[in-house]
Amino acid sequence: MRLLFISLFIISSLFSTELENLLKEYESSSKNSLKTLNEKMGYVIVYTKEELELMQYNNLSDVLKEIPANNSNINRFGLNTISLSGSKTDVTGFFRLYINDHEVSAIYNQSPSLTWLQMPVSMIDHIEVYYGEGSFTLGNETGIQFIRVYTKDAKKENGNELYVTQSNKSSNSQSFTHSSLLGNGWAYLLHFTNNNSFSKREYNSSSINNNLNSQYFFINLNNEKSNIDIGYSKIEKDIYTGYSSDFIPSDGELDSSNFFIHTSRYFLKDNSLKATFSYDINNFTYEEKNKEGMFIVPIIDLSKVGLTMPKEYNEDIKLTKLSSSLSKEFNFDRHEVFTAINFKREEYKTNNREAINFLGNKNDIGQYNNFDRTNVFSFMFQDDYKLFDNLHLIANYKIDKYERAGEVLKDETQQLYRVGAIYLLNDYLGFKSFYTKSYIPPTFYNIDFKSNNSEEIDTQKYKYFTFASVFTFGNSKLNIDYYKVNIDDFVYLTPIGFVNIEDRIKTSGVIFDYEYIINKNNKIKLNYYTSNLNTKLNNSNKGGFLKYMGKYEKIDYFASLIYKNSYEYLDVEIDDSYNLNLGFTYNYTKNLSFSLKAENLSNKSTASLFNNGIGGENISFEDYEKKVTFGIRWLF
């Protein structure tokens, strides 16, 4: 399979298109102007509205299955999760998820996987995925990759849309979008989706259910100077393997509801002064029963496992986040300067947490520790210097001061800097290169599940270098991106809790991305990547995809093959994955269409590794099932 991708890549590189100017905003062939795209952010992958519709992606996690140099898997709670190439983690703070200008990763663990990673594509206009620390103009959070989802715009839509789906696995969804133009330049968009998903795996003659019911509500209100986003998501689902020591919980349920409001306001005639305010609420409840017991790190005492291992466990927690910022842009001579100050407060409250052991004794656990609040004060500065018309030099600097409640985690001050350049050699060839020194702070989850053998969890520090080139000619475009990441004090979840890895984690890789426009209605996309990791691989480290999409009269169609390589970890062997997807849409009228999509036709999905505790068994479950989905879209 690797030879096929490389061969296609070599053949494809013989083709060539006029270079989209690296220093200008990207505009798609569907005339969907992506005014949000910031080339100063480094290497970026864009999914336009046209591509999202042609490929019939159901939700955001469907899109992220194919993102280069990443892995998309199912964690112990049956939730989609993404991790860096070569690794598999249940949660990670390396990825940050934004809806428009607002960061919506979970407050507890900084993971996007809990609810919003499943957001329906029917509310999305386009998606941008940035590799490496980004421009401060797009957010204050640290991370390695940034997923920016931009919702549909009322000024573009101005109408109603109803979209329903039904699969052969009984999964179904119903989405409704309404948008309208109001007086005085105001417009609003309202979206609602209800989704029911049914899935299960077989293990030791038992079924492990992963059924899910979710709802998404979003409203946007905006004019030339102001923007208000309000979002709400709720999921109720089975716990999959949960914390169970035998992978088969007797009973359990996971419920989560998330609310946010984000407002922004521009001032001055040139809109160069911007103020933002946001507030988030995350509610999470969890219940599990298992006759064989559960391995929950903060509860288990290894010296008396029999007395501390619970057979029943439940928790009810609430987290809130308040954030505000004030930023100013300046333009003088050849400089574009951006400065900002930001304040953020995160609070963590335990409403209830209790466990029942095998003797029937109830333990009212409450809060695991006294780390329940963080205040962050930030100042940031960014300069884009136009040395020549075809050469930009870019520098970022930020300082963050952390004030933390309790004695578990110390207050600290961290700094971030980033330098880079964008060079357009000629009309056909351009380069970008960036070097970043940044960090990822410990989360509430890291501290709650800290190993008892660790005195404290240190902040992860990382250095990220990337070099990207774009070559275009004729109807072809080729992107090549090289990246190298070094991480010190890497936070790793062992069977007995989180620890900082003493050795430096090193990873590097190359991404090849090729696009060929056959004609105005048809195109091919080819991607291949390979990466290296200086530790034992526990996930795929090579992969890619081949996609063909197009239109003919009233028919839209697509085909895609997503490849991930095989690997072996401990005593488990995982085969190569070939995820084959096909689909078409019949546009009965311009307002009514019918679609059919077949997923994982080869029935060779990626797989996730699971371990049930110290000295426990290692097993794997396939992440995705073969599925056929029928959909109807009506615009009115």
Side-chain angles (χ1 to χ4, degrees):
M1 186 63 193
R2 178 171 59 182
L3 292 176
L4 171 62
F5 273 105
I6 294 175
S7 299
L8 286 171
F9 160 70
I10 294 173
I11 295 171
S12 301
S13 63
L14 298 177
F15 298 97
S16 43
T17 120
E18 293 183 2
L19 180 62
E20 288 108 338
N21 190 327
L22 287 176
L23 309 177
K24 294 182 180 179
E25 296 169 342
Y26 179 94
E27 185 169 348
S28 75
S29 59
S30 64
K31 297 183 180 179
N32 171 34
S33 179
L34 304 185
K35 297 180 181 178
T36 58
L37 187 65
N38 191 335
E39 291 287 0
K40 303 179 187 69
M41 294 277 283
Y43 184 70
V44 59
I45 294 175
V46 179
Y47 286 83
T48 66
K49 180 181 179 182
E50 180 186 43
E51 183 173 347
L52 293 173
E53 292 179 350
L54 282 174
M55 295 294 297
Q56 294 188 43
Y57 298 110
N58 295 315
N59 52 49
L60 178 60
S61 62
D62 284 346
V63 179
L64 299 182
K65 289 178 187 177
E66 64 187 42
I67 295 296
N70 286 347
N71 287 304
S72 176
N73 299 103
I74 304 298
N75 66 15
R76 65 168 63 183
F77 304 113
L79 297 165
N80 291 94
T81 184
I82 47 179
S83 51
L84 298 176
S85 181
S87 66
K88 191 253 180 186
T89 54
D90 282 350
V91 294
T92 173
F94 291 140
F95 302 87
R96 294 303 182 113
L97 175 61
Y98 283 77
I99 296 179
N100 298 327
D101 282 344
H102 185 62
E103 202 256 344
V104 294
S105 304
I107 303 169
Y108 182 61
N109 55 26
Q110 299 303 326
S111 171
S113 64
L114 187 56
T115 60
W116 288 111
L117 203 63
Q118 310 296 321
M119 79 174 73
V121 167
S122 55
M123 68 179 278
I124 298 173
D125 183 80
H126 65 281
I127 301 169
E128 301 165 4
V129 181
Y130 295 94
Y131 288 66
E133 192 75 47
S135 166
F136 295 141
T137 59
L138 294 183
N140 180 43
E141 304 297 337
T142 60
I144 287 181
Q145 290 183 23
F146 294 78
I147 305 159
R148 305 194 63 90
V149 173
Y150 291 92
T151 58
K152 291 180 176 178
D153 186 346
K155 294 184 176 68
K156 294 180 182 179
E157 306 297 325
N158 194 25
N160 303 292
E161 176 184 299
L162 180 64
Y163 182 55
V164 296
T165 66
Q166 178 69 48
S167 81
N168 64 324
K169 299 293 184 180
S170 299
S171 299
N172 59 82
S173 67
Q174 306 82 36
S175 295
F176 174 73
T177 305
H178 169 71
S179 57
S180 180
L181 303 180
L182 303 174
N184 300 322
W186 285 89
Y188 76 94
L189 179 141
L190 181 149
H191 176 89
F192 174 77
T193 287
N194 178 69
N195 176 66
N196 296 287
S197 176
F198 301 94
S199 177
K200 66 179 180 180
R201 300 292 183 269
E202 300 295 328
Y203 177 71
N204 282 350
S205 301
S206 298
S207 294
I208 304 176
N209 294 321
N210 192 23
N211 301 327
L212 176 147
N213 171 253
S214 59
Q215 290 85 37
Y216 295 88
F217 174 81
F218 177 81
I219 186 168
N220 169 262
L221 183 67
N222 70 82
N223 66 8
E224 185 179 353
K225 290 281 189 178
S226 302
N227 186 85
I228 302 172
D229 287 336
I230 300 174
Y232 176 79
S233 63
K234 178 178 176 60
I235 67 167
E236 298 176 349
K237 69 180 302 299
D238 294 318
I239 58 172
Y240 205 40
T241 67
Y243 294 110
S244 60
S245 60
D246 61 350
F247 303 112
I248 310 172
S250 303
D251 192 16
E253 183 174 280
L254 182 159
D255 296 344
S256 178
S257 61
N258 301 272
F259 168 84
F260 75 84
I261 180 170
H262 178 94
T263 65
S264 61
R265 171 74 177 178
Y266 289 95
F267 300 92
L268 305 182
K269 290 182 179 180
D270 60 356
N271 289 341
S272 62
L273 182 65
K274 180 181 179 182
T276 70
F277 174 83
S278 65
Y279 187 68
D280 295 66
I281 303 174
N282 295 174
N283 291 300
F284 179 83
T285 62
Y286 184 89
E287 297 179 1
E288 181 174 351
K289 297 179 181 179
N290 189 38
K291 59 184 179 181
E292 299 297 329
M294 290 167 270
F295 199 90
I296 305 176
V297 169
I299 298 176
I300 294 287
D301 184 340
L302 296 179
S303 64
K304 42 185 177 181
V305 173
L307 295 177
T308 56
M309 175 178 281
K311 65 174 184 177
E312 296 183 24
Y313 174 77
N314 66 79
E315 70 175 0
D316 179 0
I317 61 177
K318 177 181 179 179
L319 297 104
T320 59
K321 178 174 69 174
L322 182 148
S323 181
S324 61
S325 70
L326 183 66
S327 62
K328 180 71 171 71
E329 294 181 358
F330 303 89
N331 292 281
F332 60 93
D333 195 15
R334 290 177 170 264
H335 294 267
E336 291 183 12
V337 176
F338 173 86
T339 62
I341 54 175
N342 188 91
F343 170 74
K344 180 175 68 174
R345 168 174 287 190
E346 296 178 340
E347 294 184 298
Y348 167 27
K349 179 182 179 181
T350 303
N351 296 321
N352 179 59
R353 183 180 282 127
E354 59 183 25
I356 299 176
N357 64 15
F358 284 96
L359 299 177
N361 298 325
K362 180 184 291 188
N363 179 14
D364 187 2
I365 302 164
Q367 199 168 298
Y368 284 132
N369 52 71
N370 58 8
F371 173 47
D372 58 5
R373 187 181 69 254
T374 297
N375 292 331
V376 187
F377 304 87
S378 303
F379 168 77
M380 57 203 82
F381 175 87
Q382 175 178 293
D383 184 19
D384 173 8
Y385 176 58
K386 187 177 180 180
L387 185 61
F388 304 110
D389 288 344
N390 64 342
L391 176 60
H392 282 229
L393 304 179
I394 299 158
N396 297 1
Y397 175 78
K398 184 174 71 151
I399 183 169
D400 296 322
K401 178 178 175 56
Y402 286 80
E403 295 179 351
R404 293 158 171 151
E407 297 81 35
V408 181
L409 202 58
K410 298 178 181 178
D411 296 346
E412 64 176 342
T413 299
Q414 291 287 345
Q415 300 180 64
L416 175 157
Y417 67 78
R418 177 174 178 262
V419 293
I422 302 177
Y423 178 51
L424 184 63
L425 181 63
N426 52 44
D427 289 341
Y428 308 102
L429 183 62
F431 303 96
K432 302 181 194 178
S433 185
F434 293 92
Y435 177 79
T436 303
K437 177 180 178 293
S438 189
Y439 70 96
I440 296 176
T443 65
F444 294 119
Y445 174 53
N446 293 148
I447 302 304
D448 278 355
F449 281 70
K450 179 178 68 71
S451 169
N452 289 328
N453 296 331
S454 298
E455 292 185 5
E456 60 184 35
I457 297 294
D458 293 326
T459 294
Q460 300 176 83
K461 298 99 177 172
Y462 68 88
K463 298 175 181 178
Y464 192 117
F465 171 77
T466 180
F467 180 85
S469 61
V470 180
F471 175 67
T472 71
F473 188 80
N475 293 330
S476 298
K477 180 172 72 171
L478 173 65
N479 288 270
I480 302 177
D481 178 56
Y482 169 78
Y483 64 90
K484 182 177 181 180
V485 184
N486 292 336
I487 306 174
D488 292 318
D489 297 316
F490 179 75
V491 176
Y492 179 69
L493 181 59
T494 71
I496 59 172
F498 282 106
V499 298
N500 287 112
I501 300 296
E502 293 183 1
D503 298 329
R504 171 175 288 181
I505 301 297
K506 300 179 181 180
T507 181
S508 61
V510 180
I511 302 172
F512 300 94
D513 196 71
Y514 173 77
E515 180 177 337
Y516 177 63
I517 308 287
I518 301 172
N519 53 48
K520 67 177 183 179
N521 291 324
N522 295 270
K523 63 181 176 181
I524 294 174
K525 284 192 171 185
L526 173 68
N527 178 278
Y528 179 77
Y529 70 88
T530 180
S531 64
N532 298 301
L533 190 65
N534 68 333
T535 61
K536 178 68 175 177
L537 297 174
N538 64 352
N539 213 331
S540 298
N541 70 317
K542 297 179 176 68
F545 61 74
L546 178 63
K547 298 194 296 187
Y548 172 67
M549 66 195 82
K551 302 177 181 181
Y552 178 73
E553 294 184 350
K554 290 190 173 185
I555 304 293
D556 300 342
Y557 43 82
F558 82 90
S560 70
L561 177 65
I562 306 171
Y563 165 70
K564 301 287 184 180
N565 73 314
S566 62
Y567 63 96
E568 182 178 349
Y569 184 72
L570 300 177
D571 54 348
V572 180
E573 295 183 6
I574 305 297
D575 295 331
D576 290 322
S577 168
Y578 302 93
N579 189 348
L580 177 63
N581 307 284
L582 301 171
F584 74 89
T585 298
Y586 174 62
N587 298 293
Y588 182 70
T589 68
K590 69 176 184 178
N591 294 326
L592 181 63
S593 63
F594 305 92
S595 60
L596 190 67
K597 178 183 180 180
E599 302 175 70
N600 193 25
L601 283 174
S602 57
N603 206 25
K604 292 186 177 180
S605 164
T606 56
S608 294
L609 299 173
F610 294 89
N611 178 279
N612 60 341
I614 300 175
E617 184 181 1
N618 300 292
I619 64 171
S620 67
F621 291 131
E622 289 191 343
D623 292 315
Y624 313 107
E625 299 175 298
K626 183 188 296 186
K627 184 170 66 174
V628 177
T629 303
F630 175 73
I632 301 175
R633 186 188 306 273
W634 179 34
L635 305 177
F636 60 98

